[in-house]
Amino acid sequence: MLGMALAAIDGTIVSTAVPQIVGDLGGLTVFSWLFSGYLLAVTVTLPLYGKLSDTFGRKPVLVAGIILFLVGSVLCAAAWNMAALIAFRIVQGLGGGALQGTVQTIAADLYPLKERPRIQAKLSTVWATSAVAGPVVGGLLAGYADWRWIFLINLPVGAVALWLVVRHLHEPSRPRPATRPRVDWAGALAVFATGSLLLTALVQGGVAWPWLSAPSLGLLGASAVLAALTVVIERRAAEPIIPGWVWRRRTIASVNLALGAMGLLMVAPTVFLPTYAQSVLGLGPIAAGFVLSVMTLSWPVSAALSDRVYNRIGFRRTAMIGMSAALLILLAFPLLPYPGEPWHPALLMLLLGAALGLFQLPLIVGVQSTVGWAERGTTTASVLFCRQVGQSIGAALFGAVANGVLAARLLDAPAAGLPGDLDAVTRALEDPGAFSAAATDQVRRAVDAAVDYVYIGAAGAAALALLALITLAPRRFPVITEPTEATGTAGAPGRQDAAS
């Protein structure tokens, strides 16, 4: 949990310190890469760390990930300009990729099927706490100390996590393979290069350059070529980073697609709801953050109680109930009155968190239970990788949708020279004298319409997740029964077609 906390809080603690960082180091035009670079490094290394943990064990990968993350933190604190800080954030992300995937895999190793919801709910609580505490801690450190402490605070937490893992995590000894393990470094490099180009195109398209510009088209074309090359390399590799069985097995393929669609829909509340709360409801940043944070309160509770559902009706049906509820909640958002009360979207987010907790955890626990130890790291990494890629695609897709709707609604606005970009409109609304009363109302209505369309798109992503489960997922997950890793008991694993 401490190791997971390092990666979890790092995604939110930096956000509130951006003004202080930019004021000290400059680089306003590229500061978004503080987040994009970290996300890119985490995402593209997930498959590699999953394979390495299956090959060499979880503990060395986790220890290496914590050390790399702490080295990146020290370097970030010592950064002398924005370019250096971005580079060191990527180093942090290389460690964060090992933390995210390996911790989830270890949880499945250590705890039998009946106890996994409890530990997974605790890990979800780490993310929920980090989402709320990160911006607050970051703001306090940046305002009353120095922004460099945002990275230095990782050192004591990471040191304790490292000590606990080295001292107390004992993996059962396993028979050595007949041949020396071979790492598919060519495949790892190909996956890294493909993911880097694709995510760069998705993150920067429509922001740093237009979608139909030469940089966007060049990056997308190059990523397509590299993707084809990666397939060729992986087919020839003896131990591929992304094995073909990840997509040939119906259970894993369906969960990958379903959680990829969930990553897509998550962009609506996490990216666009704070904008809606500030621009339409007129809330301050802290109150707007609270509207979103209520989702993190219901999510762990729902996840912790999900085993009472899937033990009765199965993983697939439980996930379908959760996503069906999420679909209805997302469709309800455009029906909210204008301008409405803050508790309206807060209530929907509370319900959405409960629905998604009922969806995500059963699928992760279920898919981890269908594979043995030697395949669990790769399987877990593939699921998390698809979810991260879904979020990146969602940010690009829904950003284009929101800006398109906003520009169309402001075309006949009474005030001249209104910005057609959602971020620019949000900043302009913070200035009371920027628009006349009539123009301000029209701008707010335009933002309201743009976010409504984003939520309709998120509902479409929820429908895609349901479609993947209905058409691909087996009715009963083929669960493997094997001894718990915590006891190190020897025994031959068996497979049973359980309802769960």
Side-chain angles (χ1 to χ4, degrees):
M1 289 176 70
L2 282 175
M4 181 67 83
L6 286 173
I9 199 169
D10 204 70
T12 57
I13 194 172
V14 180
S15 58
T16 51
V18 166
Q20 288 78 12
I21 295 174
V22 171
D24 189 10
L25 301 180
L28 178 64
T29 57
V30 295
F31 83 89
S32 63
W33 272 101
L34 290 177
F35 310 97
S36 302
Y38 179 82
L39 173 65
L40 185 148
V42 169
T43 303
V44 299
T45 54
L46 279 169
L48 173 61
Y49 288 128
K51 184 62 180 178
L52 290 177
S53 74
D54 284 342
T55 304
F56 300 105
R58 325 294 188 210
K59 185 172 182 177
V61 173
L62 183 58
V63 168
I66 294 175
I67 293 174
L68 190 56
F69 187 91
L70 295 181
V71 169
S73 298
V74 173
L75 292 174
C76 285
W80 53 91
N81 58 33
M82 184 62 74
L85 182 58
I86 291 171
F88 298 148
R89 281 283 287 170
I90 293 175
V91 174
Q92 261 194 319
L94 296 177
L99 293 173
Q100 287 196 28
T102 310
V103 168
Q104 295 278 7
T105 306
I106 290 174
D109 288 343
L110 294 180
Y111 292 85
L113 181 58
K114 291 184 178 180
E115 296 182 20
R116 280 179 204 163
R118 178 171 58 87
I119 188 62
Q120 290 285 4
K122 289 182 178 180
L123 292 177
S124 297
T125 303
V126 172
W127 284 97
T129 304
S130 300
V132 177
V136 176
V137 174
L140 290 175
L141 290 175
Y144 296 98
D146 188 273
W147 63 265
R148 298 179 190 272
W149 282 101
I150 288 174
F151 302 104
L152 293 176
I153 199 174
N154 292 329
L155 299 183
V157 179
V160 175
L162 189 61
W163 178 78
L164 288 172
V165 169
V166 171
R167 182 177 178 85
H168 294 292
L169 178 59
H170 303 291
E171 295 187 274
S173 59
R174 299 182 180 278
R176 292 186 177 182
T179 59
R180 184 180 178 181
R182 297 164 60 184
V183 179
D184 177 25
W185 293 114
L189 180 61
V191 170
F192 187 89
T194 304
S196 298
L197 290 183
L198 177 61
L199 290 177
T200 300
L202 293 174
V203 169
Q204 294 299 303
V207 179
W209 48 70
W211 278 108
L212 297 180
S213 64
S216 280
L217 296 178
L219 286 171
L220 291 173
S223 62
V225 173
L226 282 176
L229 180 62
T230 302
V231 172
V232 173
I233 293 174
E234 293 298 84
R235 282 184 173 180
R236 295 180 178 179
E239 294 290 338
I241 294 295
I242 303 180
W245 53 260
V246 168
W247 294 104
R248 287 195 297 268
R249 297 182 190 177
R250 288 177 57 195
T251 306
I252 302 175
S254 62
V255 172
N256 282 345
L257 292 174
L259 285 180
M262 191 200 81
L264 195 70
L265 74 84
M266 281 299 297
V267 172
T270 56
V271 176
F272 291 93
L273 184 63
T275 299
Y276 171 88
Q278 294 183 66
S279 300
V280 179
L281 301 181
L283 301 179
I286 296 177
F290 177 77
V291 172
L292 173 61
S293 66
V294 294
M295 182 174 68
T296 65
L297 302 178
S298 57
W299 193 315
V301 175
S302 173
L305 299 176
S306 64
D307 63 318
R308 302 187 182 184
V309 183
Y310 68 66
N311 281 331
R312 291 178 177 270
I313 65 175
F315 292 122
R316 176 175 174 264
R317 291 180 180 175
T318 303
M320 288 173 62
I321 290 173
M323 188 50 72
S324 297
L327 173 60
L328 295 176
I329 294 165
L330 292 167
L331 288 174
F333 188 91
L335 302 179
L336 292 179
Y338 172 85
E341 298 292 334
W343 67 267
H344 292 156
L347 177 60
L348 289 184
M349 291 307 100
L350 189 71
L351 297 175
L352 183 63
L356 293 178
L358 202 61
F359 168 79
Q360 178 179 261
L361 185 63
L363 289 184
I364 292 179
V365 171
V367 77
Q368 288 178 332
S369 303
T370 65
V371 294
W373 185 94
E375 297 176 339
R376 191 170 291 141
T378 299
T379 300
T380 304
S382 73
V383 169
L384 299 179
F385 176 77
C386 288
R387 188 182 65 185
Q388 294 279 69
V389 171
Q391 287 180 324
S392 299
I393 294 174
L397 177 63
F398 293 146
V401 169
N403 287 328
V405 172
L406 188 71
R409 293 298 177 97
L410 293 180
L411 188 61
D412 300 322
L418 292 179
D421 176 78
L422 195 61
D423 291 334
V425 166
T426 302
R427 289 194 296 269
L429 285 173
E430 295 176 356
D431 181 6
F435 311 121
S436 64
T440 299
D441 182 69
Q442 185 158 353
V443 170
R444 292 187 186 279
R445 288 183 181 274
V447 173
D448 179 60
V451 177
D452 284 349
Y453 274 91
V454 168
Y455 269 82
I456 292 173
L464 290 177
L466 280 175
L467 184 63
L469 293 178
I470 293 171
T471 58
L472 290 178
R475 293 186 177 182
R476 295 174 180 267
F477 280 24
V479 173
I480 289 179
T481 55
E482 61 180 356
T484 173
E485 301 294 342
T487 61
T489 307
R495 185 180 292 272
Q496 68 179 43
D497 290 331
S500 59

